[in-house]
Amino acid sequence: MIKNIAITTVWSTDQERDAAFFTGKLGFEIRSDMEMGDMRWLTVGVPGQPEVCFTLMRPDGPGLDPESAEMLTTLVNKGVMGAAVLRTDDCHAEYKRLTEAGVEFLQEPKERPYGVEAIFRDPSGNWYSLTEEREFLDRSKPWADQSGG
């Protein structure tokens, strides 16, 4: 039986730059950083949430043929790859803090049926939803109609 999600991939065209973004601007911490043959295994995570992390993976690393690596790099650079939803208790305050830190936002905080959401990009081009969820959401039923109507 699957117990949880532990690691998810974020495509990184420059691991050093992206690690600095996650740690310096978003406040993540480095979880692991090691050479594994012809690849660098670099993971970051939110302090206080040790069970989940992102691996900052180069799209030209092992397991991808050159044509696929080139296509993936193009998609990442174009900014069409969504990476994650990051929860916050106050989207407006976190938007202000991150904007002041130099984070590039594609969308300022907006009211949505599920809460308040802002969208930003990392330096590689991946986009993230910064979301303050509504209190009425029942997380045990994430895809159910919870509009109350």
Side-chain angles (χ1 to χ4, degrees):
M1 178 168 84
I2 296 172
K3 293 177 12 180
N4 60 33
I5 296 171
I7 301 172
T8 190
T9 298
V10 170
W11 297 108
S12 170
T13 56
D14 183 327
Q15 290 173 306
E16 202 65 38
R17 177 201 62 209
D18 291 345
F21 171 80
F22 279 97
T23 58
K25 294 185 189 254
L26 300 186
F28 284 34
E29 60 191 10
I30 300 285
R31 297 281 173 77
S32 60
D33 188 358
M34 65 186 92
E35 296 299 322
M36 294 178 54
D38 58 351
M39 69 172 273
R40 180 181 180 192
W41 181 257
L42 176 59
T43 63
V44 296
V46 175
Q49 189 186 20
E51 67 278 4
V52 179
C53 62
F54 294 156
T55 180
L56 303 180
M57 185 70 65
R58 291 187 49 84
D60 60 355
L64 289 173
D65 61 87
E67 181 184 3
S68 297
E70 183 180 339
M71 283 191 275
L72 182 54
T73 300
T74 298
L75 290 172
V76 171
N77 286 333
K78 285 178 81 171
V80 299
M81 304 290 283
V85 174
L86 305 175
R87 288 191 181 129
T88 183
D89 291 332
D90 186 337
C91 189
H92 290 279
E94 192 65 359
Y95 168 81
K96 183 177 189 284
R97 182 185 78 80
L98 294 176
T99 299
E100 290 171 355
V103 173
E104 174 194 356
F105 275 84
L106 304 174
Q107 172 195 294
E108 57 189 48
K110 292 191 180 216
E111 289 289 329
R112 302 285 187 219
Y114 47 84
V116 180
E117 176 187 57
I119 307 288
F120 69 90
R121 262 197 193 128
D122 69 22
S124 285
N126 302 293
W127 60 268
Y128 302 80
S129 168
L130 178 65
T131 303
E132 174 188 343
E133 292 181 328
R134 298 231 184 278
E135 288 185 34
F136 67 81
L137 288 181
D138 178 354
R139 286 198 180 103
S140 69
K141 300 174 186 170
W143 303 111
D145 178 6
Q146 298 181 37
S147 62

